[in-house]
Amino acid sequence: MHSPVKVMLLAAASASLGLASTAAAEDLDRPEPNPYLAGDMHNHNTCTDGSVSAGYAIDRSVASGTAAAGGNNFNLDWFTLGNHGGSGNRDCRFSDTSANLPGDTTKTWTQTLGQTIDGITISKLKGTQPATPTNMWRWQSIQEVEYPIIVNRTAQHKKVLIEGLEWIVPGHEHTDAAVIAGQNPRGKGNADNMAQFEFRFDRADNDAIGPVDSSNNPIWTGKDNINNNGVAGHQKAVSGIQWMQTNFPLQSYAVPTHSERAGAFNPNGSNGYNIEHFRDFNNAGPTVAFGIESPGHFAQGSPSGGAGGYGNGAVGGGTYGMSGVYTAKIGGLWDGLLGEGRNFFIYVSSDWHSRGIFGARDSASTGDFIPGEYTRLYVPRTEPFRAQSVIDGMRSGNSYSVNGDLIGPDLRFRARGQRGGWKSMGETLVVRPGEQITLEMEISVPAKNNSPYTFDNPLLLQVGKKQPLNVPSLDHVDLITGQITGVIAPGSPGYAVPNAGGVAGASIVYNPTTVIARQIHANDMKVQKNDHGSTRMSFTTTFTAGNSPAYIRARGTNIPIATPHVTDSSGNPLLDVNNALVTCTDPACPSHLATVNNLKLVTFDVQAWSNLWFYANPIFVRPEGSPKLLVERNAELAQQLAGTQRPNGDDEPERE
Amino acid sequence: MRPLQRLIVVPACLLLGGTVTPCKAGTDLSRAEPTKEECFSALEKARTLAATLPTGHLSRIFAESHLHQAMIEANNGEFDECLEWSERATVEVNELKHTLQPGETLKMLRPDEEPRR
């Protein structure tokens, strides 16, 4: 049922852009640690369909400097190993031969059974197996292989490492998931709860036995191994989220990923998601199902599409500014959920598998990027910083997602009324109608990113701008507002919305009130050069509060408005396949780019490094005296649960 | 790599309540998934097509990379992804999206090669 609809107009105030106050200028000079820490929650290794060993993937992602055999490390602060469910035939203590790592070749479990490798001995492929077993179920590799590697690497790197899962969802495609309860890699702990979730609810895990006790009886009884597709599969997926909410409401999450890729929901198969499925998930798991992840696979863009791993059958027909249409479209599916006041936030990760035709140490890629190389998901720094901090930060909405190091780890995006303090992403500002809202943003644009290319961005050359690909630049920030009209109850009109694969899916409007309320060009921001070469940019602007709730979110890009084949006249990203209509003419353009008539096209990693965006989660606003938004109520639920639950692992690893 | 003996053809099914019982013959636990046979048929066709290009042709390198990933997916029982990567390989060969200019090489480290520091 709709809540009463009252429009809150976030009226644009006049000309406060570029007029950063004295207080803001003083803030720029204040030394303080970066308020956010970067991580990745979706990546693969040879336990499923990745190209490198579990240990190698972690090492390259969280170590600093250069790997022993070559290749840059990416120094992430936290890392969640988010590998597929199901089964795998390869031993992920070894990399695939295709990764071209010295001395490392593909090994299968059948080749290594009984051997002690890296301190881990696998003596048996457990669970339901054919007469000649070849594959290890993922619940076993989570417990017995990946988690021990997490323990090992935690001691080595002193970073926060988490055993997660890319859940192959019944009735749908994929979802990032983690259950951290029991994990305590510094004190050892275990990933049994994560493994149990995978066993019970992964569509590709149809093992009927799971782990057994000393009498050979299954420990995890009651598995539904039947309802894995369509509507029944969706209900099983909802049951999985309820299982998380019931058992681990603060120590788990389920965040659908590349959610446009498989097209619209198929009631008879396992394809994508419609808005009602996200609503079902959030309803079933108010503190665990709190968002969507953008696609990874950012170096896969070819002349026929493929950036993000999206074909033309994806909802929207592909990616837009390296995001799916659910999040990239103004008034799209994400805005539909925010328009209910839901706690539904967006995140980005790498979906690292391989570098396509290249080996793991090469700097070029026609496939994916290593975690931290291109995508960074920022969550708030806490002291101490631990696995629980990652989930708490994600759940709070106080997080943001960056491609190509367009901005750094010190975003400030906050708002306040004429009374009271600042509210940041995920929080709700309560104001009187007519009250002036001051919104402040500060960002740092790093001196360089991880691009191996120093030639000028070919997309920007079209508009006469010379900007090396390895030097990020910010063109503008969009402040996007939408009205909140209340939570729609299941079964009510508008709860389920017809969806469509392909470009038809891009025309669906879920929240027609959403607009780019302000577009702040870099030239209108206050700029300060930092000692280490980065550029600190800031602006302050104002809105006038209206009579009903609303939200303000932000995105930024290096691409000017109306850049041919990249952005439209409002600055919205076009379908990324259009980038391949631009040629890469610099003599340094690499040889792996797609060609037409011997002209190299902006494709693969060059496309990714050319077309950079960041997304900041929303700040909510509501009138004083109005009912609390769902985002507030669910945040309060999390606080109540935190008051009644013992935090996970007092001695779990902290970032040092 | 050896093809996977499809793990959905399981000898036992666990019903709600925790009792392990034999599955009914022909129980298809993932009807939405393409079959192993479909996957391997598509893979073989794409492999044959890729072999029509000269060794070292850039499009063949791309196609073989896609086929390698298709095989990995097949071995993990992910036959939908096997089909998808096989299709990518087929498209790559049919459209010849990649060619090296005369004198141009692919800058790629061999397994026994260390990058210049």
Side-chain angles (χ1 to χ4, degrees):
Chain A
M1 192 170 65
H2 282 286
S3 301
V5 178
K6 285 192 176 180
V7 174
M8 179 185 199
L9 182 63
L10 280 170
S14 52
S16 60
L17 300 185
L19 300 176
S21 67
T22 305
E26 287 169 359
D27 286 345
L28 291 177
D29 297 324
R30 190 175 61 208
E32 55 187 21
N34 290 328
Y36 293 92
L37 296 172
D40 188 283
M41 63 168 167
H42 182 176
N43 44 74
H44 300 272
N45 58 54
T46 46
C47 263
T48 65
D49 58 355
S51 64
V52 298
S53 69
Y56 185 86
I58 295 169
D59 294 343
R60 291 290 303 276
S61 304
V62 305
S64 56
T66 306
N72 293 332
N73 299 320
F74 298 107
N75 199 24
L76 287 177
D77 302 293
W78 59 272
F79 175 98
T80 300
L81 200 169
N83 213 352
H84 292 289
S87 71
N89 73 323
R90 292 178 299 169
D91 182 338
C92 56
R93 293 168 292 184
F94 298 90
S95 293
D96 196 84
T97 305
S98 65
N100 285 349
L101 294 173
D104 212 349
T105 55
T106 305
K107 299 282 192 304
T108 60
W109 294 118
T110 55
Q111 293 173 300
T112 60
L113 278 180
Q115 299 175 25
T116 299
I117 298 163
D118 297 341
I120 301 167
T121 308
I122 301 298
S123 54
K124 182 185 178 189
L125 298 175
K126 297 178 178 175
T128 311
Q129 294 287 352
T132 307
T134 58
N135 282 37
M136 181 183 287
W137 291 107
R138 284 286 292 130
W139 62 261
Q140 184 182 0
S141 58
I142 287 170
Q143 285 185 305
E144 299 181 16
V145 186
E146 287 186 343
Y147 186 72
I149 291 170
I150 291 269
V151 171
N152 171 292
R153 267 17 191 221
T154 296
Q156 179 180 339
H157 295 297
K158 310 288 192 275
K159 298 282 181 81
V160 171
L161 307 180
I162 298 168
E163 177 66 7
L165 171 74
E166 185 183 8
W167 178 22
I168 301 180
V169 185
H172 301 283
E173 213 205 12
H174 300 164
T175 282
D176 291 332
V179 182
I180 63 169
Q183 297 188 37
N184 181 15
R186 196 165 66 172
K188 199 163 183 189
N190 62 68
D192 293 356
N193 293 312
M194 183 72 267
Q196 183 181 178
F197 178 85
E198 191 278 340
F199 169 79
R200 287 188 179 282
F201 298 108
D202 195 279
R203 169 162 57 88
D205 186 333
N206 38 51
D207 177 23
I209 300 172
V212 294
D213 62 19
S214 56
S215 303
N216 224 27
N217 294 314
I219 296 171
W220 298 331
T221 57
K223 177 179 180 179
D224 169 9
N225 229 347
I226 305 297
N227 297 305
N228 277 326
N229 292 303
V231 174
H234 172 68
Q235 290 308 321
K236 180 178 173 181
V238 170
S239 298
I241 288 170
Q242 287 169 334
W243 184 90
M244 284 181 165
Q245 184 69 36
T246 300
N247 296 293
F248 310 107
L250 299 179
Q251 295 175 293
S252 64
Y253 63 80
V255 174
T257 183
H258 45 68
S259 52
E260 300 93 346
R261 185 172 79 172
F265 177 69
N266 175 357
N268 299 306
S270 286
N271 293 76
Y273 303 84
N274 299 348
I275 193 168
E276 60 267 27
H277 305 112
F278 297 122
R279 287 171 167 149
D280 287 349
F281 286 0
N282 183 247
N283 291 343
T287 63
V288 303
F290 43 67
I292 317 175
E293 187 186 63
S294 296
H297 297 306
F298 288 114
Q300 291 190 11
S302 77
S304 54
Y310 282 26
N312 55 18
V315 176
T319 54
Y320 295 74
M322 303 293 154
S323 283
V325 74
Y326 292 160
T327 50
K329 180 182 171 70
I330 301 296
L333 184 143
W334 184 34
D335 286 311
L337 296 165
L338 296 178
E340 293 182 275
R342 281 188 193 271
N343 54 323
F344 225 75
F345 306 110
I346 64 163
Y347 312 98
V348 72
S349 286
S350 63
D351 205 351
W352 157 246
H353 287 71
S354 76
R355 304 187 84 86
I357 65 168
F358 293 97
R361 298 171 300 151
D362 291 312
S363 58
S365 177
T366 63
D368 315 324
F369 294 107
I370 290 173
E373 182 179 5
Y374 183 77
T375 53
R376 284 177 181 256
L377 172 58
Y378 287 98
V379 299
R381 171 193 292 271
T382 60
E383 295 297 343
F385 185 72
R386 48 181 49 168
Q388 188 67 58
S389 311
V390 174
I391 295 187
D392 289 346
M394 288 169 57
R395 187 194 314 107
S396 73
N398 187 8
S399 71
Y400 62 103
S401 302
V402 181
N403 289 349
D405 287 326
L406 178 59
I407 64 172
D410 51 359
L411 171 70
R412 175 173 286 169
F413 178 42
R414 60 186 188 174
R416 70 177 175 193
Q418 290 169 288
R419 305 154 299 132
W422 292 101
K423 297 292 182 182
S424 190
M425 295 173 283
E427 294 186 307
T428 302
L429 181 65
V430 179
V431 289
R432 291 180 188 144
E435 188 172 333
Q436 180 174 283
I437 297 169
T438 300
L439 187 140
E440 179 184 275
M441 179 174 273
E442 293 181 25
I443 49 187
S444 290
V445 178
K448 70 190 292 283
N449 60 23
N450 294 308
S451 169
Y453 307 117
T454 57
F455 58 86
D456 288 329
N457 185 332
L459 299 181
L460 296 180
L461 280 176
Q462 298 181 100
V463 291
K465 188 171 178 181
K466 291 192 167 188
Q467 185 71 34
L469 280 177
N470 66 338
V471 180
S473 67
L474 182 73
D475 183 80
H476 67 273
V477 168
D478 291 331
L479 296 178
I480 298 161
T481 62
Q483 291 158 14
I484 296 173
T485 52
V487 175
I488 303 174
S492 296
Y495 186 84
V497 178
N499 197 3
V503 291
S507 62
I508 302 169
V509 176
Y510 295 85
N511 185 347
T513 68
T514 315
V515 294
I516 300 175
R518 297 280 167 75
Q519 205 153 47
I520 295 97
H521 194 273
N523 293 341
D524 295 325
M525 298 181 195
K526 182 180 173 68
V527 174
Q528 176 178 310
K529 285 284 181 188
N530 292 333
D531 291 342
H532 51 284
S534 68
T535 304
R536 189 72 170 156
M537 307 174 79
S538 65
F539 64 86
T540 302
T541 187
T542 57
F543 292 89
T544 302
N547 296 321
S548 65
Y551 62 89
I552 308 171
R553 62 183 180 89
R555 70 181 180 192
T557 180
N558 66 329
I559 304 292
I561 297 153
T563 296
H565 312 300
V566 196
T567 51
D568 67 16
S569 58
S570 299
N572 294 302
L574 298 175
L575 196 57
D576 287 331
V577 67
N578 290 294
N579 299 172
L581 297 172
V582 182
T583 54
C584 190
T585 56
D586 193 285
C589 290
S591 54
H592 63 270
L593 298 185
T595 56
V596 169
N597 298 327
N598 291 325
L599 293 173
K600 290 175 180 167
L601 309 177
V602 177
T603 46
F604 302 113
D605 51 347
V606 169
Q607 177 189 25
W609 292 116
S610 299
N611 194 351
L612 304 182
W613 294 76
F614 79 83
Y615 279 83
N617 279 315
I619 302 167
F620 298 88
V621 183
R622 71 170 168 85
E624 195 173 72
S626 63
K628 287 182 178 175
L629 303 175
L630 184 59
V631 65
E632 296 174 88
R633 300 201 302 272
N634 286 343
E636 287 175 355
L637 173 62
Q639 286 175 345
Q640 290 163 11
L641 289 164
T644 57
Q645 296 203 341
R646 181 184 169 82
N648 183 48
D650 286 337
D651 58 348
E652 72 166 284
E654 298 168 6
R655 183 179 178 278
E656 295 180 4
Chain B
M1 271 181 273
R2 277 198 303 154
L4 170 74
Q5 297 185 11
R6 179 56 171 149
L7 289 164
I8 62 166
V9 186
V10 289
C13 280
L14 185 67
L15 302 180
L16 296 177
T19 310
V20 179
T21 59
C23 280
K24 291 178 183 173
T27 299
D28 185 351
L29 297 175
S30 58
R31 274 178 299 132
E33 282 269 310
T35 64
K36 180 176 77 174
E37 290 70 27
E38 289 170 322
C39 153
F40 278 94
S41 172
L43 224 165
E44 200 47 46
K45 281 180 190 165
R47 184 176 286 134
T48 302
L49 190 64
T52 62
L53 294 177
T55 306
H57 190 291
L58 193 47
S59 276
R60 180 166 173 171
I61 292 171
F62 270 83
E64 288 178 342
S65 168
H66 297 336
L67 290 169
H68 183 73
Q69 192 64 31
M71 196 67 197
I72 287 170
E73 302 294 353
N75 284 329
N76 291 343
E78 296 292 337
F79 301 128
D80 49 356
E81 303 219 17
C82 161
L83 286 181
E84 184 195 319
W85 285 103
S86 299
E87 174 65 15
R88 285 199 201 192
T90 300
V91 170
E92 179 64 45
V93 177
N94 286 338
E95 297 185 3
L96 295 178
K97 296 176 180 177
H98 300 92
T99 50
L100 292 173
Q101 307 295 321
E104 198 175 34
T105 57
L106 202 56
K107 197 175 164 188
M108 185 185 289
L109 289 171
R110 297 185 310 271
D112 60 350
E113 188 180 7
E114 294 238 348
R116 281 185 299 172
R117 304 280 177 174

